[in-house]
Amino acid sequence: MTAGVALPILSGSGIPEADVGFIDATVCSYIDDGEILGEDDALDLLQSAGNELEEDELAELASALSELTIPKEPEVVDDGLCELCDRHGSREFHHLVPKSTHRRYIKKEKLPENLSEVEAKLDERSWGVAHFLMSYGVLICGCCHKAIHKAEENSKLAEDYNTLSRLLEHEKIAAAAAYNSKQKVRDKVKSAKRR
């Protein structure tokens, strides 16, 4: 069971010490259950604790508590075939819906339009969307990963290039993958280093 994750955020915040333990336990139960504590619910939780914080301070704390319950990306650097260029070497996890856009979809509890088939299979609650977004991606080499993010902004990738087949339809990404497929692999597998 998770414990104490919210303590660094809450300590010295002006929340009465008697309520800090309850708030931490509540946040931890959300994490243990795989659910996301929405910012509104976190704000309600903080407001129920007797405190004298300003509204903007409460909102900032609520956002930080909510963020704690969003699943973190698993370590996925490995050795195998790049799903774009088919070269064998170290691979990185590319979120087909970039992480910087996740909050928008989690808040709406909706995925990009072309992923509606997938969305229909997900649980209606936002944690279903969050968990899906964190695990939805492809394993690709660093060169292809850089080419993707150089070709388009994250918002465009999220809406229009959020499947492997759609990535390969993009002229610049397809050209980079074709070029990369002919290049010699020069790297070794990195030891679980995040990019």
Side-chain angles (χ1 to χ4, degrees), residues 42-63:
L43 190 58
D44 290 344
L45 181 64
L46 289 167
Q47 287 172 336
S48 69
N51 63 68
E52 303 198 7
L53 297 175
E54 298 293 323
E55 198 169 315
D56 59 332
E57 292 174 308
L58 281 173
E60 193 174 316
L61 275 175
S63 177

Side-chain angles (χ1 to χ4, degrees), residues 15-46:
I15 303 288
E17 215 41 55
D19 294 320
V20 167
F22 172 74
I23 294 169
D24 180 63
T26 303
V27 170
C28 291
S29 72
Y30 273 82
I31 293 169
D32 290 339
D33 293 343
E35 294 186 26
I36 291 178
L37 175 64
E39 287 188 31
D40 291 341
D41 292 333
L43 190 58
D44 290 344
L45 181 64
L46 289 167

